[in-house]
Amino acid sequence: MIPACVQDARNNKVLRIGFVRPETIELMNKSKVVSLYNPATQKDEPVLAGEYNDEMAVSAINEASDKSSVLIMAEPKGSTTGANQFLGNKNVQDLAFLSELQDFIEKRHAEMPEGSYTTKLFKGGVNKMTKKVGEETIEAIVEAINGSTDQFVYECSDMIYHLIVLLTSKGLRIEDLARELKARHK
């Protein structure tokens, strides 16, 4: 048995820690599903995440050069709401909150609760969402030119919120934008 850490490939949140055997690694390489050895059942079992307990897809398996540990990068299907805390240690920095916000927006998209502003945006369709992104962008520009710093930050925050709603409607996440920007930076 070797220790294994499962991280969200989108935002590096620690999702689980467990153990794997060489057979577990072989199983994951074939199935592309994250699995950990369960000592109670003495079986390799898929690791479930998110509100709907979906299996997590293997993004990458990185073994230490001496084979003493393994890092499993996972791509959970949808939100991993609740997985932003591991062993009491919150994995959120200010910038990482954008991932947490998207998790919340994805939950709204799945549940569509009545009376929710976010639900209203989703029900309005892409035209409504793009219109709101445009409106908030214009308001941010106006504040950048003529307004206060506080009001500029407020309007930029509205713009990002509406952009995340639009991204969610398209099956994308804010991390997809971060990966694109990171690739451009190289």
Side-chain angles (χ1 to χ4, degrees):
M1 296 281 178
I2 60 171
C5 177
V6 181
Q7 277 187 296
D8 190 321
R10 303 172 301 183
N11 54 31
N12 291 327
K13 287 180 184 175
V14 174
L15 301 174
R16 302 281 188 283
I17 287 194
F19 292 93
V20 293
R21 305 172 297 148
E23 300 84 40
T24 316
I25 296 171
E26 285 178 36
L27 173 72
M28 287 188 288
N29 280 323
K30 288 179 186 170
S31 69
K32 299 299 181 198
V33 173
V34 175
S35 296
L36 295 175
Y37 181 77
N38 183 339
T41 62
Q42 297 186 345
K43 294 180 181 175
D44 298 313
E45 297 179 355
V47 176
L48 306 178
E51 193 170 336
Y52 303 105
N53 282 326
D54 293 316
E55 293 178 343
M56 292 191 279
V58 171
S59 175
I61 300 174
N62 303 307
E63 293 182 74
S65 59
D66 64 357
K67 308 274 187 199
S68 63
S69 62
V70 65
L71 174 63
I72 304 163
M73 300 305 290
E75 294 181 16
K77 185 177 180 182
S79 165
T80 57
T81 302
N84 65 338
Q85 187 166 328
F86 182 76
L87 298 177
N89 184 17
K90 200 131 169 98
N91 287 327
V92 178
Q93 300 169 344
D94 287 345
L95 189 56
F97 174 74
L98 294 176
S99 293
E100 203 172 278
L101 176 62
Q102 180 137 22
D103 289 347
F104 175 80
I105 291 170
E106 284 178 346
K107 185 176 179 189
R108 283 284 200 243
H109 190 238
E111 295 173 356
M112 300 291 271
E114 287 301 317
S116 161
Y117 174 71
T118 307
T119 297
K120 182 179 172 184
L121 290 170
F122 284 127
K123 285 184 175 180
V126 173
N127 288 342
K128 170 94 172 162
M129 289 179 271
T130 54
K131 181 179 175 191
K132 284 303 294 178
V133 171
E135 287 173 7
E136 299 302 339
T137 301
I138 290 168
E139 290 173 11
I141 291 168
V142 169
E143 290 301 324
I145 296 168
N146 299 321
S148 68
T149 300
D150 288 345
Q151 196 59 34
F152 175 62
V153 168
Y154 183 88
E155 296 300 343
C156 286
S157 298
D158 280 352
M159 179 181 66
I160 290 173
Y161 169 81
H162 287 90
L163 178 61
I164 292 174
V165 170
L166 180 60
L167 287 167
T168 301
S169 77
K170 294 296 204 173
L172 298 168
R173 289 188 56 92
I174 195 76
E175 293 89 353
D176 294 315
L177 303 184
R179 274 191 292 281
E180 174 64 21
L181 291 168
K182 185 178 176 183
R184 290 180 189 184
H185 185 69
K186 291 179 181 177

